[in-house]
Amino acid sequence: IMISGYIVFTIFSDFEKVVSSIKEIDKQKLSIAIGILIATVGLRAIRWHFFLRRVTTQIPLKQSVLYYLAGYAFLLSPGRAGEIIRSPFIKRDYGVSISKTAPIVLVERFYDMLSITLIIGIGLIFSDFDKTIIVLPIGFVIVMFLIIRSKTIFSKTFVKISKIKIFSKWIPNVDESFEVIFSLMKTRFFLTGMAVSIVNGILEATAVYLLILGLGENISFVNLAVLFHTSSFAANASLIPGGLGVLEGGLIGLLVLYKIKYEIALAVTILIRLLSTGMFSVIGLISLRIISKK
């Protein structure tokens, strides 16, 4: 349904101009952008394995990466919460409880959101954008930090979520989950988690920057990083499945305000969806199929 709506939206947005822009993109820049996005997934998979080893050392790297990629089958879930699908498969194969592995997804999201906030904040120093843009990201990160660092707030949050029927079977043991989250906030895990998130944030902005250049437009990299990550943050914080509509509306609107042609802004957004959501969702489905065969 969402894909159909997306197609209708594209058709009513001067479809021919958009297709023409995509066809004329610089293939070399497109290839480099794809390579960069694949590299970001590789870095995140290695971080996942590093975090997972805090819980269990039974799982070899190859299998761990396969579990990680399987989570990408649910990129369109609200806040990417569907990535928790890794946990029941790990429990099935290695007997590690869901309450120990599921919190890793929450910690990953926290580091990603915190790094995006830092990138936006630093970018605003070197740009002429309204500095109040940073208020919402900072507020959101503070709320997330309070939830995962306070056992009382953490417990109350999970109790409320557990009352929702669809989540009732997925709510882990709060004490075990809190212990895992607390340990993954210690110095070496914090530095590793933040380093990967910051590098990935810069790489993702670089990939989008190359797509814009490949489509024949030009923009300051710093400004693009602020525009892209502001839209990305809003999409993630909205909890709308895949941030559909939020990312598109935000990024297209901000690029057009920055004097990028509408058809180019739309073409860039579509390419981002095809590469970062479409391509990796397919990889996730294949990986999920592989681990499901057991």
Side-chain angles (χ1 to χ4, degrees):
I1 292 171
M2 289 185 290
I3 291 171
S4 299
Y6 203 84
I7 292 171
V8 171
F9 166 74
T10 306
I11 291 174
F12 280 97
S13 300
D14 214 333
F15 185 69
E16 291 183 3
K17 283 187 178 182
V18 173
V19 172
S20 176
S21 297
I22 293 175
K23 284 182 178 179
E24 294 173 6
I25 191 172
D26 185 318
K27 301 301 186 293
Q28 184 179 18
K29 288 185 174 63
L30 175 62
S31 299
I32 295 173
I34 293 173
I36 288 173
L37 290 173
I38 291 173
T40 63
V41 173
L43 287 172
R44 282 197 170 96
I46 292 172
R47 180 181 66 181
W48 153 263
H49 184 65
F50 178 64
F51 286 173
L52 189 60
R53 285 182 64 83
R54 163 60 187 80
V55 176
T56 175
T57 57
Q58 302 178 63
I59 307 173
L61 177 61
K62 182 179 178 180
Q63 189 67 18
S64 177
V65 170
L66 199 57
Y67 288 133
Y68 179 79
L69 293 177
Y72 274 63
F74 296 88
L75 279 176
L76 285 175
S77 59
R80 290 172 58 180
E83 291 185 30
I84 205 173
I85 194 68
R86 306 165 191 158
S87 296
F89 284 107
I90 292 173
K91 181 180 180 181
R92 178 199 66 182
D93 297 337
Y94 294 94
V96 181
S97 67
I98 292 176
S99 59
K100 289 184 177 180
T101 56
I104 297 176
V105 175
L106 178 61
V107 174
E108 286 178 321
R109 291 293 77 74
F110 173 73
Y111 286 140
D112 287 344
M113 299 293 266
L114 180 56
S115 67
I116 288 176
T117 303
L118 287 175
I119 291 172
I120 294 172
I122 293 171
L124 286 173
I125 296 173
F126 301 98
S127 68
D128 55 358
F129 292 121
D130 185 352
K131 304 302 185 282
T132 57
I133 289 175
I134 198 67
V135 173
L136 179 60
I138 288 177
F140 191 88
V141 168
I142 289 174
V143 170
M144 285 186 66
F145 181 79
L146 290 175
I147 289 175
I148 64 181
R149 288 291 290 179
S150 169
K151 190 170 184 178
T152 302
I153 299 175
F154 184 79
S155 300
K156 288 181 179 179
T157 302
F158 269 79
V159 167
K160 288 182 179 179
I161 295 174
S162 66
K163 293 179 180 179
I164 303 173
K165 187 175 181 181
I166 193 171
F167 293 119
S168 59
K169 292 192 294 183
W170 291 86
I171 299 303
N173 179 293
V174 173
D175 290 328
E176 275 190 343
S177 296
F178 185 81
E179 193 277 328
V180 170
I181 289 173
F182 187 80
S183 65
L184 291 179
M185 289 290 173
K186 291 182 178 179
T187 304
R188 70 190 185 107
F189 292 106
F190 179 83
L191 292 177
T192 301
M194 284 300 297
V196 170
S197 290
I198 291 171
V199 170
N200 273 0
I202 295 171
L203 288 176
E204 287 168 353
T206 302
V208 178
Y209 179 67
L210 287 171
L211 292 177
I212 292 176
L213 294 182
L215 289 166
E217 283 284 359
N218 199 7
I219 186 174
S220 159
F221 176 76
V222 173
N223 289 335
L224 183 276
V226 173
L227 295 176
F228 172 68
H229 283 303
T230 299
S231 302
S232 179
F233 191 100
N236 289 323
S238 69
L239 297 183
I240 292 173
L244 282 171
V246 180
L247 176 65
E248 287 78 7
L251 187 56
I252 292 170
L254 290 171
L255 287 174
V256 169
L257 284 173
Y258 198 75
K259 310 304 180 184
I260 299 293
K261 293 178 183 176
Y262 175 76
E263 60 268 20
I264 299 297
L266 181 55
V268 168
T269 306
I270 291 173
L271 284 171
I272 292 170
R273 276 299 183 195
L274 287 174
L275 298 177
S276 64
T277 303
M279 181 174 70
F280 293 129
S281 290
V282 171
I283 292 173
L285 287 166
I286 294 171
S287 302
L288 184 62
R289 175 62 178 165
I290 292 172
I291 65 174
S292 295
K293 283 184 177 180
K294 294 183 180 182

